[in-house]
Amino acid sequence: LYIDDTIEATFTAYKKQTKSYNVFNVGSDESITVNELAEIVSNSLNLKPKFKYTSNEIKGWKGDVSLMLLDSSKIKQLGWTPKTNINEAIRKIVLNIK
């Protein structure tokens, strides 16, 4: 999730919540594999690395969470949705770090 979307979600929850204390999951409805993430980062930096897998599966590393998808429907009921898709968010982050 891109930081601008995270900040907007925080302000939305603060301004629109009806309870004095409330908990919201903030996330995207999109998912991405470790390979896709590595490819986006590599392409953004104009790199052509060879990936080496340290586990028996091509999903990441030993102990990696293969899929995490938060239910952010509660905060979406307040009118918030992420504006930056996952691919663009990764590219923006990489280019800002460069």
Side-chain angles (χ1 to χ4, degrees):
L1 192 63
Y2 193 59
I3 187 67
D4 290 354
D5 290 325
T6 306
I7 292 168
E8 185 180 329
T10 302
F11 281 116
T12 299
Y14 175 74
K15 291 176 185 175
K16 295 187 177 182
Q17 69 179 343
T18 57
K19 301 176 184 178
S20 61
Y21 179 82
N22 216 332
V23 177
F24 297 92
N25 283 331
V26 177
S28 170
D29 292 333
E30 299 175 279
S31 63
I32 190 167
T33 67
V34 172
N35 281 350
E36 291 168 330
L37 173 65
E39 288 172 8
I40 293 168
V41 170
S42 298
N43 290 338
S44 297
L45 296 173
N46 295 317
L47 300 174
K48 303 278 185 219
K50 292 182 181 179
F51 300 116
K52 179 181 176 185
Y53 300 97
T54 58
S55 72
N56 294 332
E57 299 179 44
I58 303 177
K59 67 173 187 175
W61 52 90
K62 189 174 184 176
D64 184 25
V65 176
S66 59
L67 177 64
M68 183 174 83
L69 189 57
L70 298 174
D71 178 4
S72 56
S73 60
K74 187 175 173 182
I75 194 161
K76 286 180 179 176
Q77 291 173 357
L78 299 180
W80 175 85
T81 56
K83 290 184 175 56
T84 309
N85 71 47
I86 197 164
N87 293 347
E88 186 61 26
I90 294 166
R91 285 186 184 88
K92 285 182 175 184
I93 291 166
V94 169
L95 295 175
N96 283 327
I97 293 173
K98 229 167 91 165

